[in-house]
Structure formats: structure tokens, C-alpha cells
Amino acid sequence: MLLEVLESLSAKSRKSFSFAILGQCRDGSDNLILKQLQKYVEVDFPDGFLASDDFDSKGASCHLLLAPLLSHMEYGTYKGTGAIGDAIYLRRNIILPAACDPEGEFKEIAYCYSSKDDLISFFNKLDVLAERVVDSRFVEKFSTSNISSSIIEDLDLQGVHS
């Protein structure tokens, strides 16, 4: 779907943004998806593993994150969870399929699309979407200390923790 959306945008529109891959790009420059993306937009990708410092600096340079996950990669599974965690960690808004946030738990940072037209609409207003400030109170909800406290509280309520 992402490739179809990029193809449908004007060349002028596509030149107004670029992609930075915030993870390992399997097969590097030989990656088929990467080659297809590069037909439409500039793509900055790591050669091999992306070190945490590089992740931080590249992530901080992004105005908005995009996770074009497949519907079976919803939040809570090992594949889809990382993108939302990255957005929280980097304090960035993220565009992702609606199936990844069915309960709207991340509506404060997520722009969810259900169709190609939704995604086209988002690409046509990237500047506006990127302006939304990620509230530090939202990020704090997902801090290690808050998550730990929540787990301990749940265990206490279940009588597991003494």
C-alpha cells in the first residue's frame, strides 16, 4: 500500500520528505522493498545493525514516524509493538494502520489509517501532522517506573505479590 501511495503522489510532493530507516535493513542496498522505495523518495538506511546512539540521533531528526505494518502486526505482538515504543521513546507522532491501535490507546501520538486514501491524506499534510506536540504526561505513562508500579499493583490485586 505504501508504494501505491507514493506512486500516486506528485514528484514535487515526494521531494518534500524523505525516509530514515530506524532499524536494520536486511540485505542492505539489495533489499527489494528498499529498492522500490528509492524509486520514489530518498531513503537513509543503515548498513547493518543500527547502534543505539545512531538510533537516537536519527530518530530525533525525524519529524514524524511511519510504521506501515501489516494487519497481523498489531500492538501487543512481538512485531508491531516496537514501532509504538519507538514513537513514545522518541516523543514523536506516528502514522500506522488502525489495526495496530484498535482501542485508541495511543491516539495522542498515533495517526491511524484504514485505507490507501487515508494514507494519501496523511502524506498530503505531513507538515501539519508533525506539528502536534507529544505531551510529556502521555510519555510518562509508559515510563519504566510507571509500568513497574502498574505491574506490581496488578500482582498485589491478584494476591500474587506479598
Side-chain angles (χ1 to χ4, degrees):
M1 182 188 303
L2 176 60
L3 293 170
E4 289 175 18
V5 167
L6 292 173
E7 183 178 33
S8 73
L9 298 174
S10 70
K12 179 182 177 185
S13 179
R14 289 192 307 258
K15 288 207 181 294
S16 68
F17 60 88
S18 63
F19 290 159
I21 307 295
L22 297 178
Q24 184 175 4
C25 187
R26 186 176 298 155
D27 300 326
S29 59
D30 291 331
N31 182 292
L32 180 60
I33 295 171
L34 176 64
K35 285 181 179 183
Q36 292 173 324
L37 282 173
Q38 289 176 319
K39 291 178 185 176
Y40 303 107
V41 294
E42 180 182 326
V43 182
D44 176 18
F45 63 95
D47 184 25
F49 180 76
L50 185 65
S52 61
D53 288 348
D54 292 333
F55 174 87
D56 290 349
S57 63
K58 279 189 180 199
S61 73
C62 294
H63 300 285
L64 195 61
L65 302 182
L66 170 67
L69 302 170
L70 302 174
S71 60
H72 65 278
M73 295 175 140
E74 73 274 0
Y75 182 78
T77 65
Y78 71 99
K79 293 183 180 177
T81 306
I84 296 170
D86 291 346
I88 293 167
Y89 172 75
L90 293 168
R91 298 173 182 252
R92 295 291 184 263
N93 291 292
I94 186 170
I95 298 172
L96 68 157
C100 294
D101 189 20
E103 304 296 320
E105 181 180 7
F106 304 102
K107 65 182 179 238
E108 293 179 50
I109 63 166
Y111 296 109
C112 296
Y113 62 90
S114 298
S115 68
K116 178 180 165 183
D117 289 337
D118 291 345
L119 193 52
I120 289 170
S121 174
F122 288 155
F123 271 96
N124 284 323
K125 56 184 177 184
L126 290 175
D127 290 343
V128 174
L129 299 180
E131 288 177 5
R132 181 172 70 179
V133 176
V134 175
D135 190 324
S136 60
R137 290 173 294 184
F138 175 80
V139 173
E140 182 60 25
K141 285 190 328 188
F142 297 95
S143 70
T144 303
S145 60
N146 277 342
I147 297 297
S148 298
S149 295
S150 177
I151 291 170
I152 291 169
E153 184 178 309
D154 288 348
L155 290 173
D156 283 343
L157 290 174
Q158 294 175 17
V160 176
H161 188 263
S162 51

